[in-house]
Amino acid sequence: MPDPAVIRADSTKPFLLLSTRGEDVAAHAEHLSFAGTAGIAPAKLHQIRLEKGLPSALSLDDYSGIIVGGGPFNSSDEIKSGLQKRVESWFDDVLAEVLDRDFPFLGACYGVGLLGMAGSGSVSRRHGEEADVITIKKTAEGTVDPILEGLPTTFHGIVGHKEAIDQLPADATLLATGDNCPVQMFRIGANAYATQFHPELDADTFAQRLRIYSNQGYYQPGSDSAAVEAARRLDVKRSGQILRNFARIHVARRV
């Protein structure tokens, strides 16, 4: 576990959560889920809701690291709104700087497509997964990666996505895999990570999110109750160690 005194101290730089969820309830819950799971005080996790407006300038030096949650956009969407195109173009510039500087970054679900495309990989809908709890397996590289420290070789995580990595960037390191979706977690450089699963969710927040997105094609009608039951029965909260490790490793003091 991280030292809460360090992550909550006034002398530390905040982390930044970049959100694309248009629903106020979902965006607020996402902020609290990431902060609570990572062990960051909510006030030290600044949230920018990109669907409400794109920042004209963003200085990475103001933050300890960047976190990106899930959202309604898919890189493989055949038809994209003007907002989606603007958000994706904005992310192109941000992630180019993240990769150039090897800046701390952790993207969950939507972040997989963003980081994968930024690294010149590809995505498709071949490996989408309906909302469920799956078994995730660390690769040999994953067993020695500090962000996965404290997690067993296999652990459970919550998924629900329409697209996934089809081909990893040439310089990416595969850290975790799954039976139906081969790329569950990867890293580019030393500090930029993406997970296909949601380490910020537990059974209750999973149930809430399923209710919010009940009509958006993430699961078959009626299957949500079984997915939530699996989240209560299996230790999905353990995957949150990834966020705690990320925060602990990258918390930075002001200069």
Side-chain angles (χ1 to χ4, degrees):
M1 292 288 290
D3 179 357
V6 172
I7 296 183
R8 290 177 170 82
D10 290 339
S11 61
T12 60
K13 295 181 181 181
F15 287 82
L16 176 63
L17 173 63
L18 298 173
S19 299
T20 59
R21 299 186 184 278
E23 304 83 5
D24 291 341
V25 172
H28 179 63
E30 182 175 68
H31 179 241
L32 294 180
S33 293
F34 273 111
T37 303
I40 305 170
K44 300 296 285 188
L45 179 61
H46 292 180
Q47 184 181 35
I48 297 177
R49 294 182 59 181
L50 300 177
E51 86 288 349
K52 291 183 174 294
L54 301 175
S56 57
L58 178 67
S59 175
L60 301 187
D61 293 327
D62 291 338
Y63 299 100
S64 294
I66 293 176
I67 297 171
V68 175
F73 303 144
N74 295 284
S75 299
S76 60
D77 288 337
E78 293 184 1
I79 300 175
K80 298 183 179 183
S81 67
L83 173 61
Q84 181 174 353
K85 292 176 181 178
R86 291 192 297 273
V87 168
E88 289 179 349
S89 178
W90 185 84
F91 264 122
D92 286 344
D93 293 337
V94 171
L95 284 168
E97 184 178 358
V98 163
L99 293 178
D100 182 63
R101 294 178 53 177
D102 200 15
F103 189 81
F105 174 91
L106 198 158
C109 198
Y110 181 44
V112 162
L114 290 173
L115 187 61
M117 296 292 284
S120 299
S122 64
V123 299
S124 75
R125 304 212 170 197
R126 290 201 307 155
H127 302 297
E129 295 175 297
E130 290 193 2
D132 204 354
V133 177
I134 66 163
T135 298
I136 299 160
K137 293 166 282 192
K138 292 197 290 188
T139 64
E141 292 81 5
T143 62
V144 296
D145 192 285
I147 294 296
L148 284 159
E149 182 180 348
L151 282 165
T153 302
T154 62
F155 58 95
H156 293 99
I158 290 171
V159 297
H161 55 101
K162 298 175 182 178
E163 68 178 9
I165 289 289
D166 208 27
Q167 183 174 348
L168 272 173
D171 57 348
T173 300
L174 181 64
L175 300 176
T177 186
D179 289 340
N180 297 317
C181 179
V183 179
Q184 285 293 335
M185 184 174 182
F186 67 94
R187 184 190 73 237
I188 298 180
N191 295 311
Y193 292 84
T195 69
Q196 188 62 80
F197 53 96
H198 287 273
E200 81 278 14
L201 293 181
D202 59 19
D204 290 335
T205 51
F206 185 34
Q208 178 193 41
R209 191 167 291 177
L210 290 179
R211 289 194 298 270
I212 294 170
Y213 296 104
S214 60
N215 297 313
Q216 297 193 26
Y218 288 102
Y219 59 91
Q220 296 296 319
S223 66
D224 53 323
S225 57
V228 172
E229 191 281 327
R232 298 194 188 284
R233 177 170 42 86
L234 302 169
D235 190 9
V236 297
K237 293 178 68 174
R238 193 162 193 177
S239 66
Q241 185 65 45
I242 290 167
L243 288 170
R244 293 187 287 276
N245 288 340
F246 181 78
R248 172 180 53 80
I249 291 169
H250 294 300
V251 65
R253 297 194 174 276
R254 297 188 186 279
V255 293

